[in-house]
Coordinates of all heavy atoms in Angstrom, one line a residue:
M1 N 58.2 82.4 -105.5 CA 57.1 82.9 -106.3 C 57.3 82.8 -107.7 O 58.5 82.9 -108.2 CB 56.8 84.4 -105.8 CG 57.6 85.4 -106.6 SD 57.2 87.1 -106.3 CE 57.8 87.8 -107.8
A2 N 56.3 82.6 -108.5 CA 56.4 82.5 -109.9 C 56.2 83.9 -110.5 O 57.2 84.4 -111.1 CB 55.4 81.5 -110.5
D3 N 55.1 84.4 -110.5 CA 54.9 85.7 -111.2 C 54.4 86.8 -110.3 O 54.1 87.9 -110.9 CB 54.0 85.4 -112.4 CG 54.2 86.5 -113.4 OD1 55.4 86.7 -113.8 OD2 53.3 87.2 -113.7
G4 N 54.1 86.6 -109.1 CA 53.8 87.7 -108.2 C 52.4 88.4 -108.5 O 51.6 87.8 -109.0
K5 N 52.4 89.6 -108.1 CA 51.1 90.4 -108.0 C 50.5 90.5 -109.4 O 49.2 90.6 -109.5 CB 51.3 91.7 -107.4 CG 52.3 92.6 -108.2 CD 52.5 94.0 -107.5 CE 53.5 94.8 -108.4 NZ 53.7 96.1 -107.8
F6 N 51.3 90.6 -110.5 CA 50.7 90.8 -111.8 C 49.8 89.7 -112.3 O 49.0 89.8 -113.2 CB 51.7 91.2 -112.8 CG 52.3 92.5 -112.6 CD1 53.7 92.7 -112.7 CD2 51.5 93.6 -112.4 CE1 54.3 93.9 -112.5 CE2 52.1 94.9 -112.2 CZ 53.5 95.0 -112.3
A7 N 50.0 88.5 -111.7 CA 49.3 87.3 -112.2 C 48.4 86.7 -111.2 O 48.1 85.5 -111.3 CB 50.4 86.3 -112.7
A8 N 47.9 87.5 -110.2 CA 47.0 86.9 -109.2 C 45.7 86.5 -109.9 O 45.0 85.5 -109.5 CB 46.8 87.9 -108.2
E9 N 45.4 87.2 -111.0 CA 44.2 86.8 -111.7 C 44.5 86.8 -113.2 O 45.2 87.7 -113.7 CB 43.0 87.8 -111.5 CG 42.5 87.8 -110.0 CD 41.3 88.7 -109.8 OE1 41.3 89.8 -110.5 OE2 40.5 88.5 -108.9
V10 N 44.0 85.8 -113.9 CA 44.2 85.7 -115.4 C 42.9 85.3 -116.0 O 42.0 84.9 -115.3 CB 45.3 84.7 -115.7 CG1 46.6 85.0 -114.9 CG2 44.9 83.3 -115.2
A11 N 43.0 85.3 -117.3 CA 41.9 84.7 -118.2 C 42.1 83.2 -118.2 O 43.2 82.7 -118.4 CB 41.9 85.3 -119.5
C12 N 41.0 82.4 -117.9 CA 41.1 81.0 -117.9 C 41.4 80.4 -119.3 O 40.7 80.7 -120.2 CB 39.8 80.3 -117.4 SG 39.7 78.5 -117.5
M13 N 42.5 79.7 -119.4 CA 42.9 79.1 -120.7 C 42.0 78.0 -121.1 O 41.8 77.8 -122.3 CB 44.4 78.6 -120.6 CG 45.4 79.6 -120.3 SD 45.5 80.8 -121.6 CE 45.4 82.4 -120.8
Q14 N 41.5 77.3 -120.2 CA 40.6 76.2 -120.5 C 39.3 76.7 -121.1 O 38.9 76.2 -122.2 CB 40.3 75.4 -119.2 CG 39.8 74.0 -119.5 CD 40.9 73.0 -120.0 OE1 42.0 73.0 -119.3 NE2 40.5 72.3 -121.0
C15 N 38.7 77.7 -120.5 CA 37.5 78.2 -121.1 C 37.8 78.9 -122.4 O 37.0 78.9 -123.4 CB 36.9 79.2 -120.1 SG 36.2 78.4 -118.6
L16 N 38.9 79.6 -122.5 CA 39.3 80.2 -123.7 C 39.4 79.3 -124.9 O 38.8 79.5 -126.0 CB 40.6 80.9 -123.4 CG 41.0 82.1 -124.2 CD1 39.9 83.2 -124.0 CD2 42.3 82.7 -123.8
L17 N 40.0 78.2 -124.6 CA 40.3 77.2 -125.7 C 39.0 76.3 -126.0 O 38.7 76.1 -127.2 CB 41.4 76.3 -125.4 CG 42.8 77.0 -125.3 CD1 43.9 76.0 -124.8 CD2 43.2 77.6 -126.6
D18 N 38.3 75.9 -125.0 CA 37.2 75.1 -125.2 C 36.0 75.8 -125.6 O 35.2 75.3 -126.5 CB 36.9 74.3 -123.9 CG 38.0 73.3 -123.6 OD1 38.9 73.1 -124.5 OD2 37.9 72.5 -122.5
D19 N 35.6 76.9 -124.9 CA 34.4 77.6 -125.1 C 34.5 78.9 -125.7 O 33.5 79.5 -126.1 CB 33.7 77.8 -123.7 CG 33.5 76.5 -123.0 OD1 33.4 75.5 -123.6 OD2 33.5 76.5 -121.7
R20 N 35.8 79.3 -126.0 CA 36.1 80.7 -126.5 C 35.3 81.8 -125.7 O 34.8 82.7 -126.3 CB 35.6 80.7 -128.0 CG 36.4 79.7 -128.9 CD 36.0 79.7 -130.3 NE 36.5 80.9 -131.0 CZ 37.7 81.0 -131.5 NH1 38.6 80.2 -131.3 NH2 38.0 82.1 -132.1
T21 N 35.4 81.6 -124.4 CA 34.9 82.7 -123.5 C 36.0 83.0 -122.6 O 36.9 82.3 -122.3 CB 33.6 82.1 -122.7 OG1 34.0 81.0 -122.1 CG2 32.4 81.8 -123.6
V22 N 35.9 84.3 -122.2 CA 36.9 84.8 -121.2 C 36.2 84.7 -119.8 O 35.2 85.3 -119.5 CB 37.2 86.3 -121.5 CG1 38.2 86.8 -120.5 CG2 37.8 86.3 -122.9
V23 N 36.8 83.9 -119.0 CA 36.4 83.7 -117.6 C 37.6 84.0 -116.7 O 38.7 83.5 -116.9 CB 36.0 82.2 -117.4 CG1 35.6 81.9 -116.0 CG2 34.8 81.9 -118.3
R24 N 37.3 84.7 -115.6 CA 38.3 85.0 -114.7 C 38.7 83.8 -113.9 O 37.9 83.1 -113.4 CB 37.9 86.2 -113.8 CG 39.0 86.5 -112.7 CD 38.8 87.9 -112.1 NE 37.4 88.3 -112.0 CZ 37.1 89.6 -111.5 NH1 38.0 90.4 -111.1 NH2 35.9 90.0 -111.5
A25 N 40.1 83.7 -113.6 CA 40.6 82.6 -112.8 C 41.5 83.2 -111.7 O 42.2 84.2 -112.0 CB 41.4 81.6 -113.7
H26 N 41.4 82.7 -110.5 CA 42.1 83.2 -109.4 C 43.3 82.2 -109.1 O 43.1 80.9 -109.2 CB 41.3 83.2 -108.1 CG 40.1 84.1 -108.3 ND1 40.1 85.5 -108.1 CD2 38.8 83.9 -108.8 CE1 38.9 86.0 -108.4 NE2 38.1 85.1 -108.8
R27 N 44.4 82.7 -108.7 CA 45.5 81.8 -108.4 C 45.2 81.1 -107.1 O 44.9 81.7 -106.1 CB 46.8 82.6 -108.3 CG 48.0 81.7 -108.0 CD 49.3 82.6 -108.3 NE 49.2 83.8 -107.5 CZ 49.9 84.9 -107.9 NH1 50.8 84.9 -109.0 NH2 49.9 86.0 -107.2
I28 N 45.4 79.8 -107.1 CA 45.2 79.0 -105.9 C 46.6 78.4 -105.3 O 46.7 78.0 -104.2 CB 44.3 77.8 -106.1 CG1 44.7 77.0 -107.3 CG2 42.8 78.4 -106.4 CD1 43.9 75.7 -107.5
Y29 N 47.6 78.5 -106.1 CA 48.9 78.0 -105.7 C 50.0 78.7 -106.5 O 49.9 78.8 -107.7 CB 49.0 76.5 -105.9 CG 50.4 76.0 -105.6 CD1 50.8 75.7 -104.4 CD2 51.2 75.6 -106.6 CE1 52.2 75.3 -104.1 CE2 52.6 75.2 -106.5 CZ 53.0 75.0 -105.2 OH 54.2 74.6 -104.9
E30 N 51.0 79.1 -105.7 CA 52.1 79.9 -106.4 C 53.4 79.1 -106.3 O 53.9 78.8 -105.1 CB 52.3 81.3 -105.7 CG 53.0 82.2 -106.6 CD 52.9 83.6 -105.9 OE1 52.0 83.9 -105.2 OE2 53.8 84.5 -106.4
G31 N 53.8 78.5 -107.5 CA 55.0 77.7 -107.4 C 56.3 78.5 -107.8 O 56.3 79.7 -107.9
D32 N 57.4 77.7 -108.0 CA 58.6 78.4 -108.4 C 58.5 78.9 -109.8 O 59.0 80.0 -110.1 CB 59.8 77.4 -108.3 CG 60.1 77.0 -106.8 OD1 59.8 77.8 -106.0 OD2 60.6 76.0 -106.6
E33 N 57.9 78.1 -110.6 CA 57.8 78.6 -112.1 C 56.4 78.4 -112.5 O 56.0 79.2 -113.5 CB 58.7 77.7 -113.0 CG 60.2 78.0 -112.8 CD 61.0 77.4 -113.9 OE1 60.5 76.5 -114.6 OE2 62.2 77.7 -114.1
T34 N 55.7 77.6 -112.0 CA 54.3 77.3 -112.4 C 53.3 77.7 -111.4 O 53.4 77.1 -110.2 CB 54.1 75.9 -112.9 OG1 55.1 75.6 -113.9 CG2 52.7 75.6 -113.4
D35 N 52.3 78.5 -111.7 CA 51.2 78.9 -110.8 C 50.1 78.0 -111.2 O 49.8 77.8 -112.3 CB 50.9 80.3 -110.9 CG 52.0 81.2 -110.2 OD1 52.9 80.7 -109.6 OD2 51.9 82.4 -110.4
R36 N 49.2 77.7 -110.2 CA 47.9 77.0 -110.5 C 46.8 77.9 -110.2 O 46.8 78.7 -109.3 CB 47.8 75.7 -109.6 CG 48.8 74.7 -110.0 CD 48.5 73.4 -109.3 NE 47.4 72.7 -109.8 CZ 47.4 72.1 -111.0 NH1 48.4 72.0 -111.8 NH2 46.3 71.5 -111.4
Y37 N 45.8 77.8 -111.1 CA 44.6 78.7 -111.0 C 43.3 77.8 -111.1 O 43.3 76.8 -111.7 CB 44.6 79.6 -112.3 CG 45.8 80.5 -112.3 CD1 47.0 80.2 -112.8 CD2 45.7 81.8 -111.8 CE1 48.1 81.0 -112.8 CE2 46.7 82.7 -111.8 CZ 48.0 82.3 -112.4 OH 49.0 83.2 -112.4
R38 N 42.3 78.4 -110.5 CA 40.9 77.9 -110.6 C 40.0 78.9 -111.1 O 40.0 80.0 -110.5 CB 40.4 77.3 -109.3 CG 39.1 76.7 -109.5 CD 38.4 76.2 -108.2 NE 39.2 75.2 -107.5 CZ 39.6 75.3 -106.3 NH1 39.4 76.3 -105.6 NH2 40.3 74.2 -105.8
C39 N 39.3 78.6 -112.2 CA 38.5 79.7 -112.8 C 37.1 79.6 -112.2 O 36.8 78.7 -111.4 CB 38.4 79.5 -114.3 SG 37.2 78.3 -114.9
E40 N 36.2 80.6 -112.5 CA 34.9 80.7 -111.9 C 34.0 79.6 -112.4 O 32.9 79.4 -111.8 CB 34.4 82.0 -112.2 CG 35.2 83.1 -111.5 CD 34.8 84.6 -111.9 OE1 34.0 84.7 -112.8 OE2 35.2 85.5 -111.2
K41 N 34.4 78.8 -113.4 CA 33.6 77.6 -113.8 C 34.2 76.3 -113.2 O 33.6 75.2 -113.4 CB 33.6 77.5 -115.3 CG 32.8 78.6 -116.0 CD 32.6 78.3 -117.5 CE 31.7 79.3 -118.1 NZ 31.6 79.1 -119.6
G42 N 35.2 76.5 -112.4 CA 35.7 75.3 -111.7 C 36.9 74.6 -112.3 O 37.4 73.6 -111.8
Y43 N 37.4 75.0 -113.5 CA 38.5 74.4 -114.1 C 39.8 74.8 -113.3 O 39.9 75.9 -112.8 CB 38.7 74.9 -115.5 CG 37.7 74.4 -116.5 CD1 36.7 75.2 -117.1 CD2 37.7 72.9 -116.9 CE1 35.8 74.7 -118.0 CE2 36.7 72.5 -117.7 CZ 35.8 73.4 -118.3 OH 34.8 72.9 -119.2
V44 N 40.7 73.9 -113.2 CA 42.0 74.1 -112.6 C 43.1 73.9 -113.6 O 43.0 72.9 -114.4 CB 42.2 73.2 -111.4 CG1 43.6 73.4 -110.8 CG2 41.2 73.4 -110.3
F45 N 44.0 74.8 -113.7 CA 45.1 74.7 -114.8 C 46.3 75.4 -114.3 O 46.3 76.1 -113.3 CB 44.6 75.3 -116.1 CG 44.3 76.8 -116.0 CD1 45.2 77.7 -116.3 CD2 43.0 77.2 -115.5 CE1 44.9 79.1 -116.3 CE2 42.7 78.5 -115.4 CZ 43.7 79.5 -115.7
G46 N 47.4 75.0 -114.9 CA 48.7 75.6 -114.5 C 49.2 76.6 -115.5 O 48.9 76.4 -116.7
L47 N 49.9 77.6 -115.1 CA 50.5 78.5 -116.1 C 52.0 78.7 -115.7 O 52.4 78.8 -114.6 CB 49.9 79.9 -116.0 CG 48.5 80.1 -116.7 CD1 48.1 81.6 -116.6 CD2 48.6 79.7 -118.1
D48 N 52.8 78.5 -116.7 CA 54.3 78.5 -116.6 C 54.7 80.0 -116.8 O 54.5 80.6 -117.9 CB 54.9 77.6 -117.6 CG 56.4 77.4 -117.4 OD1 57.0 78.3 -116.9 OD2 56.8 76.3 -117.7
W49 N 55.4 80.6 -115.8 CA 55.8 82.0 -115.9 C 57.3 82.1 -116.0 O 57.9 82.9 -115.3 CB 55.3 82.7 -114.7 CG 53.8 82.8 -114.6 CD1 53.0 82.2 -113.7 CD2 53.0 83.7 -115.4 NE1 51.7 82.6 -113.9 CE2 51.6 83.5 -114.9 CE3 53.2 84.5 -116.4 CZ2 50.6 84.1 -115.5 CZ3 52.1 85.2 -117.0 CH2 50.9 85.0 -116.6
R50 N 57.9 81.4 -116.9 CA 59.4 81.6 -117.0 C 59.7 82.9 -117.5 O 60.7 83.5 -117.2 CB 59.9 80.5 -118.0 CG 60.5 79.3 -117.2 CD 60.9 78.2 -118.1 NE 59.7 77.5 -118.7 CZ 59.8 76.4 -119.4 NH1 60.9 75.9 -119.7 NH2 58.7 75.9 -119.9
S51 N 58.8 83.5 -118.2 CA 58.9 85.0 -118.6 C 57.9 85.8 -117.8 O 56.7 85.7 -118.1 CB 58.7 85.2 -120.1 OG 59.5 84.4 -120.9
P52 N 58.3 86.4 -116.7 CA 57.4 87.0 -115.8 C 56.6 88.1 -116.5 O 57.0 88.8 -117.4 CB 58.3 87.7 -114.8 CG 59.6 87.0 -114.8 CD 59.7 86.5 -116.3
A53 N 55.3 88.2 -116.1 CA 54.4 89.2 -116.6 C 54.9 90.6 -116.2 O 55.4 90.7 -115.0 CB 53.0 88.9 -116.2
T54 N 54.8 91.5 -117.0 CA 55.2 92.9 -116.7 C 54.1 93.9 -116.5 O 54.3 95.1 -116.2 CB 56.1 93.4 -117.8 OG1 55.5 93.3 -119.0 CG2 57.5 92.6 -117.9
E55 N 52.8 93.3 -116.7 CA 51.6 94.1 -116.4 C 50.5 93.2 -116.0 O 50.6 91.9 -116.1 CB 51.2 94.8 -117.7 CG 51.0 93.9 -118.8 CD 50.7 94.7 -120.2 OE1 51.2 95.8 -120.3 OE2 50.1 94.1 -121.1
P56 N 49.5 93.7 -115.3 CA 48.4 92.9 -114.8 C 47.8 92.0 -115.9 O 47.6 92.5 -117.0 CB 47.5 93.9 -114.2 CG 48.3 95.0 -113.9 CD 49.3 95.1 -114.9
Q57 N 47.5 90.8 -115.6 CA 47.0 89.9 -116.5 C 45.4 89.8 -116.6 O 44.8 89.1 -117.3 CB 47.5 88.5 -116.2 CG 49.0 88.4 -116.3 CD 49.5 88.7 -117.7 OE1 49.3 88.0 -118.7 NE2 50.2 89.8 -117.8
W58 N 44.8 90.6 -115.6 CA 43.4 90.8 -115.7 C 43.1 92.3 -115.4 O 43.6 92.8 -114.4 CB 42.7 89.9 -114.6 CG 41.2 90.0 -114.7 CD1 40.4 90.9 -114.1 CD2 40.3 89.2 -115.5 NE1 39.1 90.7 -114.4 CE2 39.1 89.6 -115.4 CE3 40.6 88.1 -116.4 CZ2 38.0 89.1 -116.0 CZ3 39.6 87.5 -117.1 CH2 38.3 88.0 -116.9
P59 N 42.2 92.9 -116.1 CA 41.5 92.3 -117.3 C 42.5 91.9 -118.5 O 43.5 92.4 -118.6 CB 40.6 93.4 -117.8 CG 41.2 94.7 -117.3 CD 41.9 94.3 -116.0
P60 N 42.0 90.9 -119.3 CA 42.9 90.4 -120.3 C 43.2 91.5 -121.4 O 42.4 92.4 -121.5 CB 42.1 89.3 -121.0 CG 40.8 89.3 -120.3 CD 40.7 90.3 -119.3
P61 N 44.4 91.4 -122.0 CA 44.8 92.3 -123.0 C 43.9 92.3 -124.2 O 43.3 91.3 -124.5 CB 46.2 91.9 -123.3 CG 46.4 90.5 -122.9 CD 45.4 90.3 -121.8
A62 N 43.8 93.4 -124.9 CA 42.9 93.6 -126.0 C 43.2 92.6 -127.1 O 42.3 92.1 -127.8 CB 42.9 95.0 -126.5
D63 N 44.5 92.3 -127.3 CA 44.9 91.4 -128.4 C 44.3 89.9 -128.2 O 43.9 89.2 -129.1 CB 46.3 91.3 -128.7 CG 47.2 91.0 -127.5 OD1 46.6 91.0 -126.4 OD2 48.3 90.7 -127.7
L64 N 44.2 89.6 -126.9 CA 43.6 88.3 -126.6 C 42.1 88.3 -126.9 O 41.6 87.4 -127.5 CB 43.9 88.0 -125.1 CG 43.4 86.6 -124.6 CD1 44.4 86.2 -123.4 CD2 42.0 86.6 -124.2
L65 N 41.4 89.3 -126.6 CA 40.0 89.4 -126.9 C 39.8 89.5 -128.4 O 38.8 88.9 -128.9 CB 39.4 90.7 -126.2 CG 39.6 90.7 -124.6 CD1 39.0 92.0 -124.1 CD2 38.9 89.5 -124.0
D66 N 40.6 90.2 -129.0 CA 40.5 90.3 -130.5 C 40.7 88.9 -131.2 O 40.0 88.6 -132.2 CB 41.5 91.3 -131.2 CG 41.2 92.7 -130.8 OD1 40.1 93.0 -130.4 OD2 42.1 93.6 -130.9
G67 N 41.6 88.1 -130.6 CA 41.8 86.8 -131.1 C 40.6 85.9 -131.0 O 40.4 85.0 -131.9
L68 N 39.8 86.1 -130.1 CA 38.6 85.4 -129.9 C 37.6 85.6 -131.0 O 36.8 84.7 -131.4 CB 37.9 85.7 -128.6 CG 38.5 85.1 -127.3 CD1 37.8 85.6 -126.1 CD2 38.7 83.6 -127.4
K69 N 37.6 86.8 -131.5 CA 36.6 87.1 -132.5 C 36.9 86.7 -133.9 O 36.1 86.6 -134.7 CB 36.4 88.7 -132.6 CG 35.9 89.3 -131.2 CD 36.0 90.8 -131.4 CE 35.8 91.5 -130.0 NZ 36.4 92.9 -130.0
A70 N 38.2 86.4 -134.1 CA 38.7 86.0 -135.4 C 38.1 84.7 -135.8 O 37.8 83.8 -135.0 CB 40.2 85.9 -135.4
Ligands
ZN1 ZN1 37.7 78.2 -117.0

């Protein structure tokens, strides 16, 4: 497992970077270090969890949302 229960859902990085919107993504594959996710808009992306998350990744942390407004 890469990151276990804390990372079953994350904010989609693709939507975040391309559209500056926060879209929920569900894990579709759990690898040794990299998990794959598919978001509700259909994007698929991988996240590298060499530093395991220590808290749930959804809902997204406030600093991430604040970054969008900047
Ligand atoms: Zn997305």
Side-chain angles (χ1 to χ4, degrees):
M1 85 174 201
D3 202 57
K5 63 181 179 181
F6 287 134
E9 293 182 330
V10 301
C12 173
M13 293 300 129
Q14 198 75 44
C15 291
L16 207 56
L17 295 173
D18 289 356
D19 302 332
R20 299 178 74 80
T21 54
V22 178
V23 176
R24 179 163 24 186
H26 303 270
R27 184 165 51 205
I28 55 175
Y29 171 77
E30 197 165 343
D32 289 335
E33 285 190 347
T34 303
D35 289 351
R36 293 190 71 76
Y37 295 85
R38 182 187 294 125
C39 85
E40 292 172 352
K41 289 188 178 180
Y43 289 112
V44 174
F45 60 97
L47 285 182
D48 189 329
W49 292 109
R50 264 174 287 188
S51 303
T54 55
E55 58 187 22
Q57 299 299 295
W58 188 271
D63 56 348
L64 186 148
L65 300 179
D66 287 345
L68 286 180
K69 296 173 195 157

